[in-house]
Amino acid sequence: MAGVFHEMSAKKLGMTTIVHEDGTLAGILTDGDLRRLMERHGGAVVNMKLADCMTRNPQTILSNVLASEALTLMEKRRITSVIVVDAQRKVLGVVHLHDLWGLQLV
Amino acid sequence: MAGVFHEMSAKKLGMTTIVHEDGTLAGILTDGDLRRLMERHGGAVVNMKLADCMTRNPQTILSNVLASEALTLMEKRRITSVIVVDAQRKVLGVVHLHDLWGLQLV
């Protein structure tokens, strides 16, 4: 797990995606997941395997949907970021609530 | 630190405030702070003192400002929650981006 903290910090999104070798989405790990793991396992978290910690079915959207749909999804689920994937579930990026904010879609 | 993880989870805000005995704001600890602490100190974080980990000067707003000002502050700082305090800096609550969202102020 140790390396993932740096990755999450570098991206400044409060989360990171985990992908299979072919680039398709395997799961995500968020700051909130990390806190819940700390609550349950304490400092032992650092020795856990990422595959055992990540959320395997995170919220995703296809890259061709309207930005307003991403906003609606975030509001409905009370989440602040969504993974953008293509039809083959390859990860194209992550859209954060703050990215959409400036667009003044609402 | 152990107890703070439960407190943060119970509030479902991804953060908690820390107050002095008189109710005034001492600091906050966010999920992001926790991840950065894990990055730097590993599992030893659980044995650290909250006073050594918290952010002492978080963003605050007074309870009598317009909700739109809170939104503007969150957008500008790319943060998702702000502490609401009174003139004596007593903590009145926390407003999350998702709380304001439904108001359709923008």
Side-chain angles (χ1 to χ4, degrees), chain A residues 62-93:
Chain A
L62 291 168
S63 59
N64 60 354
V65 303
L66 294 174
S68 59
E69 287 185 42
L71 274 172
T72 303
L73 178 64
M74 289 182 202
E75 183 184 8
K76 195 172 157 193
R77 304 272 178 166
R78 284 185 73 94
I79 54 179
T80 51
S81 56
V82 171
I83 321 301
V84 184
V85 294
D86 69 11
Q88 284 70 48
R89 212 168 164 75
K90 278 196 186 177
V91 175
L92 300 175

Side-chain angles (χ1 to χ4, degrees), chain B residues 17-20 22-28 56-60 83 85 88-91:
Chain B
T17 59
I18 299 104
V19 295
H20 296 294
D22 64 358
T24 59
L25 183 63
I28 62 166
R56 286 177 191 274
N57 291 300
Q59 291 294 320
T60 58
I83 322 301
V85 294
Q88 283 71 49
R89 211 167 165 75
K90 278 197 185 177
V91 175

Side-chain angles (χ1 to χ4, degrees), chain B:
Chain B
M1 283 275 285
V4 79
F5 305 131
H6 177 70
E7 184 69 17
M8 290 166 83
S9 291
K11 284 179 177 154
K12 293 183 184 293
L13 286 169
M15 53 85 72
T16 188
T17 59
I18 299 104
V19 295
H20 296 294
E21 278 186 29
D22 64 358
T24 59
L25 183 63
I28 62 166
L29 190 77
T30 70
D31 285 348
D33 294 333
L34 185 58
R35 181 234 314 142
R36 285 181 285 273
L37 287 164
M38 287 288 284
E39 188 183 353
R40 207 178 309 154
H41 304 285
V45 165
V46 291
N47 299 317
M48 291 176 73
K49 287 181 188 167
L50 198 47
D52 296 330
C53 297
M54 67 186 186
T55 298
R56 286 177 191 274
N57 291 300
Q59 291 294 320
T60 58
I61 50 167
L62 291 168
S63 59
N64 61 352
V65 302
L66 294 174
S68 60
E69 285 185 44
L71 274 172
T72 303
L73 178 63
M74 289 183 202
E75 182 183 8
K76 195 172 157 193
R77 304 272 179 166
R78 285 184 73 92
I79 55 179
T80 52
S81 57
V82 170
I83 322 301
V84 184
V85 294
D86 69 12
Q88 283 71 49
R89 211 167 165 75
K90 278 197 185 177
V91 175
L92 301 175
V94 175
V95 62
H96 192 280
L97 190 46
H98 282 305
D99 298 326
L100 299 175
W101 202 249
L103 299 178
Q104 309 208 323
L105 296 165
V106 286

